Amino acid sequence: MYSTANSTTRSLTVSQLNRHIAALLEQQVGRIWVEGEISNFTQAASGHWYFTIKDERAAVKAVMFRGRALRVGFMPKQGEKYRFYAAVTLYEPRGDYQLQVESLQRAGLGDLHAEFERLKQKLADEGLFDSASKKTPIRVPQRIGVVTSLAAAALRDVLTTMRRRAPHVEVYVYPAAVQGEEAQEQLCTALGKAIADQAVDTILLVRGGGSLEDLWSFNSERLARLIKASPIPIISGVGHETDVTIADFVADVRAPTPTAAAELCCASQAQSNADLLGLFRRLQQCQARILERASLRLDRATGRLVSPEQRILHRRQQLQQLVARMQRSATIQPQQQQLRYLQHRLLRCVPQTQGARQQVVLAQKRLQPLVQQQLQQHQQRLRAVCHTLHALNPEAIVDRGYAIVRNQHGDIIKRSVDVQANEPLHIQLAQGHLLVKLKQKHDLL
């Protein structure tokens, strides 16, 4: 406390006084809920909102900075009543106290927020929001289903996006009201029909933006459980990026807008064509390598074949070498007689080349179809081995949407019991690799 009776007491400057009062307001009052009517609303070039909150007897100035204003999702109107969550502060340069608003909602929606938080906590405790149980939409669907109103701009956005990115994908529309008393029932009915028909590969649950009250039909517990139980992947695209509903938490994929949901549900036609072209080129390269290896094996096998003519020539050379050796060793008459005797025997052993040539020609004629037949058999075996190799190729399995998970030592993980929580894992995809850390596991027997 400061006393004016004692002249020796230290006095405060105005700045110190305002700073002291600002600290008292922040410590003693803090953040509170205030309900009132907006007036003198102004949006500055910086994006900040400046306005006055008033009731029948009093008014107070307020400011909402740009970052928090962007998360509101709608523009407040003068003359309407709202509930404001704000910090009580003092603007020290002028000594005016004001409210720094952090969030606002239409008056009367407090119960809806409480119900939203209660249901959100309940479903979270039951595990309906667990990411581990969420399904991944297929990359190239043939048909998608859209659950929304026929008059909604969200439907037009989805159809426009699908025509532009993937005109080959069929779109089935399951109409339902997305706002009003009958919306919850109609949404559940339409979604249930889409699931029961089993005619689509992915379901889009979409509508445009709005207030909490406008989007309340997407906060139904029945709708949330229906989404969770769906065997078909569901992508939610409800409202704008700042809008959040229970359906967003339960859905397998949450898109910020209906247009984004249409983009996430399938790969574009251009991307699909590029993927197919890449696979075709890889197949050509694999086939070329297989044929090259087969050609090398054939050349080696051909090189090992020796013709009869070559065998006869080799034997003749051996005979000539023997005759020369015998002639060099014949130094006396008996040896010469013996040499002539051996020469006579050798001459009788020399094969008739004319008959041998005919036999060689006949053997070549018989050998040619046999070689061709053997070559065809090897080619058939080669094609069968190539087909088996392609079927067992792990990269082909990965290209169909699977992944190979390895631990930090490079071992392939086949069971959840082989890994521990917080253990880093390496995931090989069709295109690229991921390094992730295991947050939670479930050991299923």
Side-chain angles (χ1 to χ4, degrees):
M1 295 295 293
Y2 294 91
S3 172
T4 58
N6 189 346
S7 60
T8 62
T9 302
R10 183 175 66 88
S11 61
L12 296 175
T13 64
V14 177
S15 298
Q16 291 173 334
L17 175 62
N18 286 350
R19 191 177 304 115
H20 180 68
I21 294 175
L24 288 175
L25 287 174
E26 293 177 1
Q27 295 173 4
Q28 300 299 324
V29 181
R31 289 168 173 79
I32 59 173
W33 282 98
V34 178
E35 183 171 335
E37 177 183 318
I38 283 185
S39 65
N40 300 324
F41 181 85
T42 301
Q43 183 175 11
S46 61
H48 304 329
W49 291 351
Y50 297 95
F51 50 91
T52 300
I53 304 173
K54 67 177 185 178
D55 59 14
E56 295 82 0
R57 299 183 179 180
V60 61
K61 293 182 179 180
V63 60
M64 191 169 194
F65 295 118
R66 179 177 180 274
R68 298 187 182 277
L70 289 175
R71 292 197 289 267
V72 173
F74 62 89
M75 184 67 70
K77 297 180 181 180
Q78 294 200 144
E80 291 188 352
K81 287 187 176 182
Y82 298 90
R83 296 180 73 239
F84 307 88
Y85 184 66
V88 181
T89 62
L90 183 75
Y91 185 62
E92 296 180 15
R94 289 200 302 265
D96 296 334
Y97 97 91
Q98 64 179 9
L99 300 182
Q100 285 188 8
V101 179
E102 297 182 2
S103 65
L104 65 88
Q105 59 185 233
R106 291 184 174 87
L109 295 184
D111 293 340
L112 291 182
H113 277 281
E115 175 61 20
F116 176 86
E117 293 297 333
R118 183 199 65 79
L119 180 59
K120 176 183 173 183
Q121 186 62 45
K122 174 184 176 182
L123 298 182
D125 293 341
E126 294 183 19
L128 268 68
F129 303 160
D130 291 345
S131 58
S133 61
K134 293 183 181 295
K135 299 171 288 295
T136 302
I138 62 175
R139 181 175 173 79
V140 186
Q142 296 183 353
R143 295 170 294 275
I144 67 165
V146 183
V147 178
T148 191
S149 171
L150 294 177
L155 178 59
R156 294 193 296 273
D157 293 342
V158 170
L159 295 178
T160 300
T161 303
M162 294 302 297
R163 281 194 298 267
R164 171 174 55 83
R165 298 184 74 253
H168 59 283
V169 178
E170 299 181 39
V171 180
Y172 290 17
V173 180
Y174 296 87
V178 293
Q179 184 174 343
E181 296 181 357
E182 302 297 327
Q184 291 188 6
E185 181 65 29
Q186 291 188 21
L187 283 172
C188 292
T189 301
L191 181 59
K193 187 176 187 306
I195 296 172
D197 287 348
Q198 295 291 311
V200 297
D201 303 309
T202 305
I203 298 174
L204 307 186
L205 183 64
V206 297
R207 71 147 283 164
S211 64
L212 175 63
E213 189 175 27
D214 296 335
L215 304 177
W216 191 251
S217 55
F218 291 86
N219 293 322
S220 165
E221 181 177 353
R222 177 186 171 192
L223 180 64
R225 297 189 183 279
L226 188 61
I227 293 173
K228 188 64 177 179
S230 170
I232 302 173
I234 296 178
I235 301 176
S236 69
V238 180
H240 302 299
E241 187 171 0
T242 56
D243 297 325
V244 180
T245 65
I246 296 296
D248 293 325
F249 290 111
V250 185
D252 298 297
V253 178
R254 190 245 172 172
T257 62
T259 300
E263 293 176 348
L264 291 173
C265 73
C266 65
S268 66
Q269 188 178 46
Q271 184 61 47
S272 298
N273 291 338
D275 293 343
L276 288 175
L277 180 60
L279 292 174
F280 178 72
R281 289 175 177 171
R282 288 179 58 190
L283 180 61
Q284 283 183 321
Q285 294 172 355
C286 292
Q287 289 177 334
R289 288 195 294 268
I290 292 172
L291 291 176
E292 289 173 356
R293 290 194 291 268
S295 179
L296 292 175
R297 291 198 298 270
L298 180 61
D299 291 341
R300 287 195 293 268
T302 304
R304 289 195 295 268
L305 294 176
V306 180
S307 66
E309 185 177 2
Q310 290 176 329
R311 290 181 179 273
I312 292 174
L313 179 61
H314 179 66
R315 292 293 180 89
R316 180 173 294 174
Q317 291 175 350
Q318 288 180 335
L319 178 61
Q320 291 173 351
Q321 292 173 357
L322 290 174
V323 170
R325 287 176 59 188
M326 291 176 64
Q327 289 176 349
R328 287 193 301 269
S329 62
T331 56
I332 58 176
Q333 186 65 27
Q335 292 176 336
Q336 291 179 347
Q337 293 177 354
Q338 186 178 6
L339 175 62
R340 285 193 295 270
Y341 172 73
L342 292 175
Q343 286 178 338
H344 181 70
R345 289 183 60 188
L346 286 173
L347 289 175
R348 285 184 300 175
C349 295
V350 173
Q352 298 296 323
T353 59
Q354 185 65 29
R357 289 180 182 275
Q358 293 178 354
Q359 292 179 358
V360 169
V361 173
L362 293 175
Q364 287 179 338
K365 291 182 180 179
R366 291 196 300 270
L367 180 63
Q368 184 174 5
L370 292 176
V371 171
Q372 186 67 26
Q373 182 180 3
Q374 187 177 15
L375 179 60
Q376 292 177 355
Q377 292 176 352
H378 284 306
Q379 288 177 341
Q380 291 176 355
R381 291 175 59 191
L382 178 61
R383 285 193 292 270
V385 171
C386 292
H387 180 73
T388 303
L389 179 62
H390 180 71
L392 298 177
N393 186 3
E395 293 185 356
I397 300 175
V398 172
D399 287 338
R400 294 199 297 268
Y402 293 88
I404 300 176
V405 182
R406 292 183 171 88
N407 61 18
Q408 56 186 342
H409 303 295
D411 301 327
I412 296 179
I413 302 303
K414 299 180 180 179
R415 305 177 304 170
S416 62
V417 295
D418 295 334
V419 294
Q420 302 297 326
N422 296 318
E423 180 177 345
L425 299 178
H426 181 273
I427 300 178
Q428 178 182 345
L429 306 176
Q431 293 184 352
H433 301 76
L434 299 177
L435 183 61
V436 300
K437 178 172 289 186
L438 180 63
K439 182 177 180 182
Q440 185 177 6
K441 69 169 186 173
H442 298 280
D443 298 331
L444 301 179
L445 298 179

